[in-house]
Amino acid sequence: MICVPYRESQENGISLETVKEEADTMRNNAKGIIFMAIDGLYCAMIGIEDPIKESSHEAVEALKNEGITVVMLSGDNEFTANAVAKKLSIDKVYANVLPDGKADVVKSLQKEGALVAMAGDGINDAPALAQANIGIAMGTGTDVAIESAGVTLIKGDLLGIIKVLKLSRATMKNIRQNLFFAFVYNSAGVPVAAGLLYPFFGIVLSPIIAAAAMSFSSVSVIANALRLKHIKL
């Protein structure tokens, strides 16, 4: 018994006329197809499917709502890749892409001025994960993918990307706030401690008060940073 891929089936003398309708149905439902033959005669057809996670559609929609363009890179054939993309409402698809080809696509998007975040879990995704501005590996994937990425989602759920996005934005906002607090304290405290107000009002900042003010500055920055623990992701 031999398994003959769809593309090679006609070359091996297998007639597809009797199974074409069923094969098209499988392909349109994102199933890969393997034809089986014995002595060059068709005997069976097998549909192989990698189920789409229930959360994937929600994750894609959430990314789009954030103004992010979602692109799918797949090593599958065009029929399967386009069928999956249609289910997930992904408009831009690259099919039949080899591992180095995924990295090339990322490079081309970067040349167009895009900041690319690449999510993947397989060995074939490692080059693209390393090339992307942000490599996001699934914790359920291979060690090579995890080592190549800058971020690892432990649960392997695409919704984790939304959480990472929200957390990163909140972190940057928090950093800017902390820098503002530090700048205000130092801008006001250092000149007064140096005697700026003494010629006009006879005020000299006591070293004890200056030390307390600096301590309060540190406390306020830390307290503000701790607010990140209460962010709803």
Side-chain angles (χ1 to χ4, degrees):
M1 181 180 290
I2 58 173
C3 293
V4 185
Y6 177 76
R7 292 179 181 175
E8 300 174 9
S9 56
Q10 292 180 337
E11 297 177 7
N12 285 272
I14 300 175
S15 173
L16 303 180
E17 295 301 326
T18 57
V19 294
K20 185 178 185 303
E21 183 177 347
E22 185 177 356
D24 289 341
T25 300
M26 285 188 176
R27 290 188 302 181
N28 292 331
N29 286 310
K31 291 182 174 65
I33 303 174
I34 291 180
F35 291 93
M36 298 184 66
I38 299 177
D39 295 331
L41 299 176
Y42 168 81
C43 63
M45 178 175 58
I46 302 173
I48 302 175
E49 181 181 13
D50 187 7
I52 299 174
K53 289 185 178 181
E54 295 181 1
S55 60
S56 296
H57 190 276
E58 182 182 352
V60 171
E61 287 301 315
L63 289 170
K64 285 185 174 181
N65 291 336
E66 292 288 343
I68 297 173
T69 301
V70 181
V71 179
M72 189 173 92
L73 304 181
S74 176
D76 292 331
N77 60 64
E78 292 184 7
F79 294 104
T80 303
N82 287 326
V84 173
K86 184 177 180 180
K87 287 184 177 181
L88 295 176
S89 301
I90 298 176
D91 300 323
K92 199 168 185 178
V93 182
Y94 294 86
N96 294 314
V97 184
L98 298 176
D100 57 344
K102 292 184 178 182
D104 290 338
V105 172
V106 172
K107 288 180 183 177
S108 66
L109 293 174
Q110 290 172 330
K111 288 180 179 179
E112 294 174 2
L115 292 176
V116 181
M118 168 71 185
D121 61 357
I123 295 175
N124 58 341
D125 296 320
L129 289 170
Q131 176 62 40
N133 298 93
I134 304 173
I136 304 173
M138 303 299 165
T140 53
T142 62
D143 291 339
V144 175
I146 294 174
E147 290 295 328
S148 301
V151 178
T152 301
L153 302 180
I154 303 300
K155 294 183 179 180
D157 190 338
L158 288 178
L159 282 175
I161 298 177
I162 306 300
K163 294 180 180 180
V164 169
L165 180 62
K166 290 181 179 179
L167 181 59
S168 62
R169 286 177 174 173
T171 300
M172 292 305 300
K173 181 179 179 180
N174 194 277
I175 289 173
R176 287 191 289 268
Q177 291 171 346
N178 289 341
L179 288 174
F180 173 77
F181 290 149
F183 180 78
V184 168
Y185 273 108
N186 284 280
S187 296
V190 172
V192 174
L196 178 65
L197 300 180
Y198 182 76
F200 307 100
F201 306 102
I203 298 176
V204 178
L205 191 63
S206 168
I208 296 176
I209 297 177
M214 290 304 298
S215 298
F216 185 73
S217 171
S218 299
V219 170
S220 64
V221 168
I222 293 173
N224 187 52
L226 289 175
R227 292 192 307 110
L228 291 172
K229 295 175 60 178
H230 305 290
I231 292 176
K232 293 183 179 181
L233 300 177

